Amino acid sequence: MTQSAHDRPEIVVGLVATPPDHPARVAERLTTELTSGLAERVNADVRWTVREGWGAVAPRRDGGVEALLDDLASRRVDDQWDVAICLTDLPLHAERVPLVVQTSARRRVAVVSLPALGLHQLRAARAAVPDLVSRLLTDASDQRVPPADWAPARMTSRVPAIHRVVGETDLGERRYVASRFVGRLRLLIGMVRANRPGRALLGLSKLLVGAFGTAAFALTTDTIWQMGDALGGLRLAVIMLLGLTALVAWLIVAHDLWEKPSRETPSELARLFNLGTILTLTLATVLSYVVLFVGTVLVGALLVDTTVLEQTLQRPVHFTDYLTLAWITSSLATVGGAIGSGLENEETVRAAAYGYHPQPDGWRDEESGRV
């Protein structure tokens, strides 16, 4: 006779996000489907309960992943969870290669580094978490679930980011690591994804307004027309790169986005944070430049009459001349946009720093009600 849901043994899985920013959003989406995934892939004869929350521990810990596992284990015991999985945006390392997952059967906890999963973090976490829960319960000899019928190395086929498994597999202390080259590349891509460059792009609205104002003024001067005609493609490209580099540097310096090594932030972690910040701001500024360039082409085609431009350049004018004009104008306008960036809200700009983690509005801990 089939057991009713109330009569089935209950297993409580805690899903902790630290910090409560990007990992919290992944955890929230994962929680809605994790119960059915556990029933399907682990055991349908138990009653699965998933509790989500956020970790009070900041993601910059000198103790590394072991300190995070200890804190997670304390949280699991305090909240009476059977197992706990932590999702973090901390870029972890083991044996000088990116660490994707670390499990501890003794503590019944596991940590998943979202940046190490690359671009498709939710999909990879969806594939990994049920297996992690299964392995933790099996290694802890929990009689409520059948022994897992797959080897630890099988996780490498489920999660493409994982390259191999190291650690004390007999004791359930496992580290799932990425490859040295592809893994590091995926880690950088994942850091930019976790840092949400779209948020930085939308946040720098005053920068775009200032740049458009500078571009509109520059389009009315025939000196810019002549400069664009005289400069070749190579020099225009150099001017563009210098303008974008100057803008990124100005944003970092003006808003104090550079992460300095400290007792809480080791040098290796600070370098990764700074690299993530630079890549995020570079992507946001490049997208801003594309928007500015397209807008400048349209405005230039409307404002600058072809006959007037031909009289100034003393030759026939083609559509490529308007592209060249927009190119130099946009490059020079990015410097004006840097001035506009100084008017941005400090919180908005600092959100682009990888080590800065503002707490999402309205996101609450389901267990304690903490905000």
Side-chain angles (χ1 to χ4, degrees), residues 142-197:
D142 195 308
Q143 301 300 319
R144 291 171 295 180
V145 297
D149 59 354
W150 53 276
R154 185 173 174 181
M155 182 79 80
T156 61
S157 63
R158 291 190 184 275
V159 184
I162 297 174
H163 179 64
R164 58 192 176 91
V165 186
V166 295
E168 302 176 11
T169 56
D170 293 339
L171 300 177
E173 304 290 327
R174 300 185 179 90
R175 289 174 291 173
Y176 299 82
V177 298
S179 61
R180 189 173 298 275
F181 177 74
V182 177
R184 287 177 177 173
L185 179 61
R186 184 183 284 113
L187 176 65
L188 291 176
I189 295 174
M191 289 179 67
V192 175
R193 168 68 182 86
N195 214 22
R196 299 169 62 199

Side-chain angles (χ1 to χ4, degrees), residues 199-212 288 337 340-341 343-345 348-349:
R199 175 179 56 183
L201 176 63
L202 294 176
L204 298 178
S205 57
K206 291 186 177 66
L207 184 152
L208 265 178
V209 171
F212 269 120
S288 298
S341 70
L343 304 175
E344 294 285 357
N345 180 274
T348 301
V349 179

Side-chain angles (χ1 to χ4, degrees), residues 6 11 27 33 48 79 96 103 120 126 137 146 148 172 217 225 227-228 245 283 286 335 343 351 358:
H6 181 73
I11 298 180
E33 56 189 71
W48 296 99
D79 293 339
R96 304 183 67 85
T103 66
H120 304 289
R126 185 186 295 122
L137 292 172
F217 175 78
W225 305 352
M227 287 177 58
T245 302
L283 181 57
V286 168
V335 179
L343 304 175

Side-chain angles (χ1 to χ4, degrees), residues 272-322:
L272 283 173
F273 281 170
N274 290 328
L275 186 56
T277 300
I278 292 173
L279 291 175
T280 301
L281 287 175
T282 298
L283 181 57
T285 53
V286 168
L287 293 176
S288 298
Y289 185 89
V290 172
V291 173
L292 176 62
F293 176 81
V294 173
T296 305
V297 170
L298 297 176
V299 173
L302 292 174
L303 291 182
V304 182
D305 188 78
T306 303
T307 57
V308 177
L309 187 58
E310 287 178 344
Q311 291 176 2
T312 302
L313 301 182
Q314 297 183 351
R315 63 172 179 79
V317 171
H318 306 284
F319 180 70
T320 54
D321 293 298
Y322 284 95

Side-chain angles (χ1 to χ4, degrees), residues 8 29 48 86 93 101 110 127 185 223-224 248 279 285 318 331 341 360 363:
R8 296 174 183 175
R29 296 184 61 184
W48 296 99
C86 176
H93 283 81
V101 176
L185 179 61
T223 303
I224 296 295
V248 172
L279 291 175
T285 53
H318 306 284
S331 299
S341 70
W363 204 89

Side-chain angles (χ1 to χ4, degrees), residues 240-255:
M240 177 187 66
L241 293 176
L242 288 176
L244 292 174
T245 302
L247 177 56
V248 172
W250 170 260
L251 288 170
I252 292 175
V253 173
H255 298 280

